[in-house]
Structure formats: structure tokens, C-alpha cells
Amino acid sequence: MRFLFIADPLDHFKIYKDTTYAMMREAARRGHELWACEPRQISWHSGGRVTASAREIQLTGDPNAWYTAGTDDLVALADFDAAVMRKDPPFDSEYFYATHLLEQAEREGARVINSPRSLRDHPEKLAVMEFPQLVPPTLVSRDAQEIRRFHALHGDIILKPLDGMGGLGIFRVGPDGLNLGSITETLNQQGTRTLMAQRYVPEIVHGDKRVLIIAGEPVPYVLARIPQGNEIRGNLAAGGKGVAQPLSPRDREIAAEVGARLAPRGLLLIGLDVIGDRVTEINVTSPTCFQEIQQQTGFDVAQVFVDALERTVEQGRR
């Protein structure tokens, strides 16, 4: 099979932990043909098909020069067996436009993973609002007074931007309300930007668990990202410590409920952020933690993903 990976620049990959690299490595092990491009290299000419200036790549096994690449070639996305969209957030206007180009490619016969429409319809912060029974009390607003009322009701809250990633821009405001106004003004930019407030979940001290769902089924291990020192953020990018753990019965229940609803929408890979027994985010753009789980448990998440990818391609051919 021929797979096109749409991702950030290959030279920026940290292959010792990169999930997209793990996917590529497993696909290459099976003899599949790998191509790569960035979203900026996708084009659509009127009257023509959606194309990408892409390169075929070969993995070398050398961590210092992990791939070799051919020359750029203009290829139609519909000519691949699958195009795997792995561009990291932020979900900005350029990402939004990319989903429209990818959706047009689907109309031309391309198979895009995850579904571009579902990527667009499930922003990673807002997607949790479909599952009020699973999330902590949550408010989405740009209204400073509404945020003050939410804080007065719940006492200890987390504030974060809707377009953040890696723990960037996350603040905790305790019962004393110290700096609530200043933090709100910083995040909502004087009422022009919408933000999210959630009741603080004290179980964060035990980790923000990444629960992976592939083709509707949960991976049997999670990566608990545990805050270090005085941090409230467990994100690995913010210095959290990743500890792989078996999926708990409650994690499995949560994953089954979310997977049953979202997987049929073309979301082959979903990453839940679970603190205690509450979902705080649903990640569908480029969920990670494949390698950390494999390194600590021996369970090959990439193998499960490529199995599911191959099945999706075969089912689409029938």
C-alpha cells in the first residue's frame, strides 16, 4: 500500500518519542510505500484534483539521519491508499483550510485518516462538551463576568485557551480568586477570544492519563503524565513524567462510550485526557504517546494502529 503522511517538517521529528514516526516505522516494516508532505504543500487547481508536492521516503534506522527522500513530485491524494493527517495543533485558520482541501480530496476518492470533516467538527477542547456526563463542570465563554460566576460556584478552577497545546496557557485559580481578572483578560484578550474554564480535578497529582482509542477500541495501557514539583500540568511538554499503566475498568468504560460514538464519524485514532474519572480533552488531530507506552510495557501501539489502517483501506475497496 501507498501511504501519504501529512505532518510537520520531518527534520523537526524527535524520533525517539514521535508517534508519527512510530506509525511510519511499522508501515515500512510491513513493506508499505511511504510518502510525506506538509499541509502547506497541498494544492487544488480549479477543474483539477487536490494534489500535494510530496516525497517518497525511506527509513534508515540511523537516529541522526533517520530518512532519505526522493525529489518532490506532484501527486493526487486520491492516488494513495490512505492519507494520514498528522499535523500538530494549533488548529488555526491554515489547519481549517487544510481540512477543506482534504475533504475535497475525499470527494475525489481519497481516504483520509482522521476524517477531515470530523477533525473540523471536533476541536480538542470543545469536543468534550458532547459528553457532559464524563467531564468536570465546564464553561466555554469569553464573558469575564460569566467566568467570575463559574469561579464563585466551583471555587477552584482551571482556565485555558481553546487553541492551546502541550499545556501552554493553562492557569489554576484557587478559592481566593487571586489574579482571576488578570488571567481572564490575558486569555480572552479583553473579551475577543473564547476560553475554557473547568472545575479543578485534584486527582491530577496522580497524572493526566492519555487513553488511546483505535478503531473504537481502547489500547490496554495508558500513559499517566504526572506533574512534577509545583506544576499543575502533567503535559510532557511542560515537564510532566510519563508513567505507563494498565487501563483501569473506569478508563475502559469511558473509552468504550466515547469510541462507540466518535469512531463511526471517521476518527480512527482518538486520544482522551482523563484525570481521575473525568475527561478533560478529546484529541483527534495528532494523538501521541505510542512510543512511551511501548517502551515501558512492550505493547506495540503502532502495530495496532497500522492493523486498523490496513483494515480501513481493505474495507474501502470492497
Side-chain angles (χ1 to χ4, degrees), residues 56-195:
E56 184 178 1
I57 65 171
Q58 304 285 337
L59 306 191
T60 66
D62 179 352
N64 297 313
W66 64 271
Y67 73 95
T68 60
T71 57
D72 287 351
D73 194 7
L74 196 64
V75 287
L77 270 63
D79 289 342
F80 291 94
D81 291 289
V84 183
M85 178 57 163
R86 289 288 302 174
K87 173 69 177 70
D88 284 341
F91 194 109
D92 54 15
S93 59
E94 289 303 319
Y95 196 107
F96 176 80
Y97 302 145
T99 65
H100 280 286
L101 296 182
L102 293 172
E103 192 169 9
Q104 171 59 24
E106 282 189 323
R107 289 190 284 267
E108 298 162 6
R111 187 171 293 102
V112 183
I113 306 296
N114 281 325
S115 156
R117 172 170 289 188
S118 287
L119 289 176
R120 198 165 60 243
D121 289 349
H122 297 82
E124 306 200 331
K125 303 291 190 297
L126 291 177
V128 299
M129 302 300 277
E130 187 175 344
F131 301 92
Q133 72 281 14
L134 299 179
V135 304
T138 299
L139 168 70
V140 176
S141 179
R142 68 171 72 175
D143 187 311
Q145 292 307 311
E146 188 72 17
I147 293 165
R148 285 193 177 277
R149 286 191 289 269
F150 185 84
H151 176 263
L153 179 62
H154 296 291
D156 197 350
I157 67 173
I158 295 292
L159 298 170
K160 52 189 172 182
L162 291 182
D163 60 354
M165 63 172 291
L168 186 65
I170 293 179
F171 295 89
R172 178 184 177 185
V173 179
D176 60 7
L178 187 64
N179 286 329
L180 175 60
S182 178
I183 292 168
T184 300
E185 291 167 6
T186 298
L187 292 179
N188 77 354
Q189 296 185 15
Q190 301 292 335
T192 64
R193 300 288 298 275
T194 303
L195 57 87

Side-chain angles (χ1 to χ4, degrees), residues 1 9 21 33 44 50 64 71 96 143 149 152 155 163 170-171 223-224 234 239 250 269 288 299 309-310:
M1 296 181 184
Y21 172 75
E33 189 175 303
W44 180 19
V50 174
N64 297 313
T71 57
F96 176 80
D143 187 311
R149 286 191 289 269
D163 60 354
I170 293 179
F171 295 89
L223 190 76
R250 179 55 179 160
L269 175 60
T288 60
F299 184 86
L309 181 60
E310 290 174 341

Side-chain angles (χ1 to χ4, degrees), residues 148-316:
R148 285 193 177 277
R149 286 191 289 269
F150 185 84
H151 176 263
L153 179 62
H154 296 291
D156 197 350
I157 67 173
I158 295 292
L159 298 170
K160 52 189 172 182
L162 291 182
D163 60 354
M165 63 172 291
L168 186 65
I170 293 179
F171 295 89
R172 178 184 177 185
V173 179
D176 60 7
L178 187 64
N179 286 329
L180 175 60
S182 178
I183 292 168
T184 300
E185 291 167 6
T186 298
L187 292 179
N188 77 354
Q189 296 185 15
Q190 301 292 335
T192 64
R193 300 288 298 275
T194 303
L195 57 87
M196 173 174 278
Q198 290 182 321
R199 187 175 67 191
Y200 175 70
V201 183
E203 289 86 351
I204 183 61
V205 297
H206 303 300
D208 180 355
K209 294 175 288 187
R210 168 55 52 85
V211 179
L212 294 167
I213 304 170
I214 298 175
E217 295 295 326
V219 169
Y221 294 93
V222 306
L223 190 76
R225 297 158 298 174
I226 302 171
Q228 300 297 292
N230 294 323
E231 267 290 352
I232 60 166
R233 301 172 297 171
N235 309 75
L236 299 182
K241 179 182 179 182
V243 178
Q245 303 171 350
L247 193 73
S248 73
R250 179 55 179 160
D251 294 337
R252 187 175 296 277
E253 291 174 2
I254 291 170
E257 185 169 350
V258 175
R261 190 178 301 184
L262 297 190
R265 300 176 188 175
L267 293 171
L268 188 69
L269 175 60
I270 301 165
L272 306 182
D273 290 348
V274 178
I275 303 175
D277 63 353
R278 295 292 171 177
V279 179
T280 59
E281 292 186 18
I282 297 176
N283 300 274
V284 299
T285 51
S286 58
T288 60
C289 299
F290 279 28
Q291 294 208 63
E292 292 89 346
I293 289 173
Q294 182 183 11
Q295 289 159 4
Q296 295 184 39
T297 70
F299 184 86
D300 195 336
V301 187
Q303 186 176 71
V304 177
F305 175 78
V306 177
D307 283 344
L309 181 60
E310 290 174 341
R311 286 197 306 270
T312 301
V313 171
E314 293 295 343
Q315 290 165 1

Side-chain angles (χ1 to χ4, degrees), residues 36-57:
C37 75
E38 300 172 41
R40 65 180 180 83
Q41 294 173 296
I42 300 173
S43 301
W44 180 19
H45 289 266
S46 56
R49 296 194 294 173
V50 174
T51 59
S53 178
R55 299 177 290 169
E56 184 178 1
I57 65 171

